[in-house]
């Protein structure tokens, strides 16, 4: 009758021996073991992100990397190389879409992946120092180290926030409410804490004397998860009740793949494409119909004009023109522009008259479209400022222009956070010849001020493209507008993701916007060329989404949220504290050789 327990004990000892032989938890993990676990973690972390999007596995995906943290000693001569390689493979797969805009962007794809790969060995180094040096439990050390690395990744060199661990949970509305305390990175910390608790439980199989510690770690992870869910329930219950009229917004999504080349016929084709979609949605003309998602959003047919029509980023290809009064225009240009006009006066008067005519020409056609639509219109376009004070002779801006139903320009927002190497080259404003080494014809100048316009009683702010991926940028926008005249009731994002040909970049971009809405408790409406146009409320619910790489229109009735959030108060301060802890932990062991090998 004793054979059963004896066999079970033998199997248990065999399993422990196997684990120790592999070097996990209490043995010595050799170079092959580090590389195997690094690559296994890379594969798992790729699968939980789009396009595979196996999001429920995110709670298990970090386990291979956590096993490297847990093991007592790493015998590999240079374990960081294996860890970097694992991170490199992960990011090459995760951001494969960066190679799509132009053959030259493949260089950026590889370079960015190489840079992002550095955060995996950094995470392991910090976590190992906290666990084996400071004797912190893994369930505390792992999320602190992870949040420190994700915060650095989202801040250094302009920040890259796509592919965050917390982003995988965007569907779990209750859980992601904690983002209004610590951002999307904080949600990733919750996921990592639970994964660490599971890792400690697995470690208990290999070490009987650590069962109590593993149970405590599991309980701590459960407490973190339950607390996050409880907080989420409380925040959702505090949602404002609908009251007063909603802002009726028509989001127009065309489908035009974008390339880095100049096509003189493109401007007219793009305007015609978007005009037909807009007129069809207004019931004023034939054209492409709305996408299937858009129809489900609207519910029943909408016959009234919206309060606001939105076109995506740069979908009006004839940009605005501003001419600095200090710019002296050639007399031939002045004569040609003023031909047939009453333009007598001094040369200075003729210069001023010429500037007014050239600038107004760009607005005249826009005004005609706005009058035809008969409502407010927010349109994405470029703006060029010709000035002798710029080394290249001009400054270029990526803008969102508000026009009223009479075609009068109300306000123009200039993108404040251009993307490095995507929209500008460092130092190229002083040395314009640098652009000849790239496929970019010119770089963007950053805007300096947020912009909001009151439409139908709602205060409407705007940002452009990747700015929704920058947590502090959106927080600053809300706070600055609040100081100027009242925080926005809705943020409208103008995006052109036609560069990425319907790839998983669209999913990552939309997910980032969902977390921004939660962090600042402000609804977002997105008009995106090729998708995803979307309507998101202040709790991060995706209320409507346009199709992928297809045309569609969404009719969103946006109501203000109005709640404040801890994130608006303290921003990334808690995440900065994680970075400080990580820095102290690393510096405290700096003098030791083989920092990754330290106990």
């Amino acid at each position: 009758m004793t054979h059963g327990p004896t066999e079970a004990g033998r199997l248990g000892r065999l399993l422990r021996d196997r684990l120790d032989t592999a070097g996990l938890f209490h043995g010595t993990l050799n170079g092959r073991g580090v590389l195997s676990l690094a690559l296994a973690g890379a594969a798992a972390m790729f699968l939980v992100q789009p396009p595979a999007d196996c999001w429920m596995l995110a709670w298990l995906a970090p386990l291979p990397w956590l096993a490297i943290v847990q093991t007592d000693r790493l015998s590999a001569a240079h374990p960081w190389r294996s860890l970097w390689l694992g991170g490199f493979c992960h990011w090459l797969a995760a951001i494969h879409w960066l190679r799509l805009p132009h053959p030259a962007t493949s260089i950026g794809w590889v370079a960015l992946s190489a840079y992002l790969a550095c955060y995996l060995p950094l995470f392991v180094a910090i976590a190992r120092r906290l666990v084996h040096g400071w004797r912190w439990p893994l369930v505390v050390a792992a999320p602190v180290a992870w949040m420190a690395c994700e915060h650095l990744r989202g801040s250094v060199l302009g920040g890259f926030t796509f592919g965050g661990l917390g982003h995988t949970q965007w569907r779990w509305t209750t859980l992601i409410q904690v983002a209004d305390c610590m951002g999307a990175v904080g949600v990733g910390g919750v996921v990592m804490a639970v994964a660490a608790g599971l890792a400690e439980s697995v470690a208990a199989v290999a070490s009987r004397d650590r069962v109590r510690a593993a149970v405590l770690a599991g309980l701590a992870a459960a407490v973190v998860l339950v607390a996050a869910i409880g907080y989420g329930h409380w925040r959702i219950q505090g949602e404002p009740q609908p009251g007063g009229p909603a802002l009726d917004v028509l989001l127009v999504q065309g489908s035009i793949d974008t390339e880095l080349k100049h096509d003189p016929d493109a401007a007219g084709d793009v305007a015609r494409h978007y005009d037909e979609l807009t007129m069809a949605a207004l019931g004023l003309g034939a054209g492409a119909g709305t996408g299937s998602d858009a129809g489900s959003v609207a519910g029943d047919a909408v016959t009234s004009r919206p309060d606001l029509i939105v076109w995506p980023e740069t979908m009006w290809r004839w940009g605005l023109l501003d001419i600095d009064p200090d710019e002296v225009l050639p007399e031939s240009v002045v004569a040609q522009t003023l031909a047939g006009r009453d333009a007598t006066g001094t040369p200075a008067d003729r210069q001023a008259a010429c500037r007014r005519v050239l600038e107004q020409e760009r607005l005249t056609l826009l005004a005609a479209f706005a009058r035809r639509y008969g409502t407010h219109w927010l349109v994405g376009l470029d703006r060029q400022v010709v000035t002798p004070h710029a080394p290249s002779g001009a400054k270029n801006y990526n803008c969102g222009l508000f026009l009223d139903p009479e075609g009068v320009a109300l306000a123009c927002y200039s993108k404040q956070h251009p993307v490095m190497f995507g929209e500008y080259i460092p130092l190229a404003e002083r040395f314009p010849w640098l652009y000849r080494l790239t496929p970019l014809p010119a770089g963007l100048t950053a805007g300096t001020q947020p912009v909001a316009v009151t439409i139908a009683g709602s205060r409407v702010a705007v940002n452009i493209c990747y700015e929704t991926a920058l947590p502090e940028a959106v927080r600053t926008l809300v706070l600055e507008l609040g100081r100027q005249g009242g925080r926005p009731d809705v943020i409208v994002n103008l995006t052109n993701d036609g560069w990425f040909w319907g790839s998983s970049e669209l999913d990552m971009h939309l997910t980032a916007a969902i977390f921004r809405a939660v962090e600042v408790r402000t609804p977002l409406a997105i008009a995106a060329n090729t998708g995803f146009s979307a309507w998101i409320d202040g709790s991060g619910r995706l209320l409507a989404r346009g199709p992928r790489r297809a045309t569609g229109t969404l009719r969103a009735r946006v109501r203000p949220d109005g709640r404040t959030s801890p994130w608006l108060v303290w921003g990334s301060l808690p995440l900065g504290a994680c970075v400080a802890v990580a820095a102290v932990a690393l510096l405290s062991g700096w003098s030791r050789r083989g920092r990754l090998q330290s106990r």
Side-chain angles (χ1 to χ4, degrees), residues 188-466:
V190 173
V191 177
M192 183 58 74
V194 173
L198 294 173
E200 287 279 36
S201 299
V202 172
V205 177
S207 177
R208 289 182 176 178
D209 60 349
R210 294 179 62 184
V211 172
R212 182 173 179 274
V215 170
L216 291 176
L219 287 175
V223 168
V224 170
L225 180 60
V226 170
I229 294 173
Y231 178 80
H233 276 294
W234 174 65
R235 289 299 272 166
I236 290 175
Q237 289 174 356
E239 289 177 331
Q241 295 299 314
L247 180 70
D248 189 354
V249 183
L250 174 64
L251 305 169
V252 184
Q253 175 181 313
S255 183
I256 298 175
D257 294 324
T258 307
E259 299 178 353
L260 278 170
K261 64 179 182 180
H262 177 66
D263 183 354
D265 298 324
D269 293 340
V270 171
R272 187 160 41 251
H273 177 71
Y274 270 87
D275 179 59
E276 289 175 354
L277 284 169
T278 304
M279 296 297 284
L282 295 174
L284 299 176
T290 60
S292 58
D293 287 346
S296 65
V297 172
D300 46 7
V302 179
T303 56
S304 61
R305 290 183 189 268
D307 300 314
L308 176 66
I309 294 171
V310 184
W311 284 18
E313 175 190 17
T314 64
M315 288 300 104
W316 183 267
R317 298 294 177 88
W318 299 287
L320 299 179
L321 178 64
D322 292 336
I323 304 174
D324 190 324
D326 292 338
E327 178 74 20
V328 179
L329 300 172
E331 181 56 34
S332 60
V333 173
V334 174
Q336 182 179 359
T337 302
L338 298 181
R341 302 172 185 267
D342 183 11
T344 59
T346 66
D349 292 336
R350 288 172 55 80
Q351 287 277 328
C354 183
R355 287 196 299 270
R356 287 194 298 270
V357 170
L358 291 175
E359 292 173 351
Q360 186 59 42
E361 282 178 348
R362 302 297 183 96
L363 285 168
T364 299
L365 188 57
L366 276 165
F369 275 69
R371 287 193 296 269
R372 193 152 68 103
Y373 300 150
T375 188
H376 289 84
W377 183 28
L378 172 58
V379 56
L381 42 64
D382 294 323
R383 179 169 67 96
Q384 186 179 61
V385 178
V386 179
T387 174
H389 305 299
S392 63
K395 295 182 178 180
N396 301 287
Y397 298 88
N398 185 351
C399 300
L401 178 69
F402 287 94
L403 298 107
D404 72 7
E406 299 302 319
V408 177
L410 299 176
C412 186
Y413 168 75
S414 298
K415 187 176 184 181
Q416 295 179 267
H417 304 276
V419 178
M420 186 186 302
F421 298 112
E423 293 177 318
Y424 77 99
I425 305 298
L427 301 178
E429 187 169 340
R430 180 170 295 275
F431 306 107
W433 56 266
L434 287 173
Y435 283 108
R436 294 199 294 270
L437 306 178
T438 76
L440 294 175
L444 292 183
T445 301
T448 58
Q449 292 292 329
V451 168
V453 172
T454 299
I455 299 173
S458 294
R459 192 160 163 81
V460 182
V462 58
N463 68 5
I464 296 176
C465 198
Y466 189 70

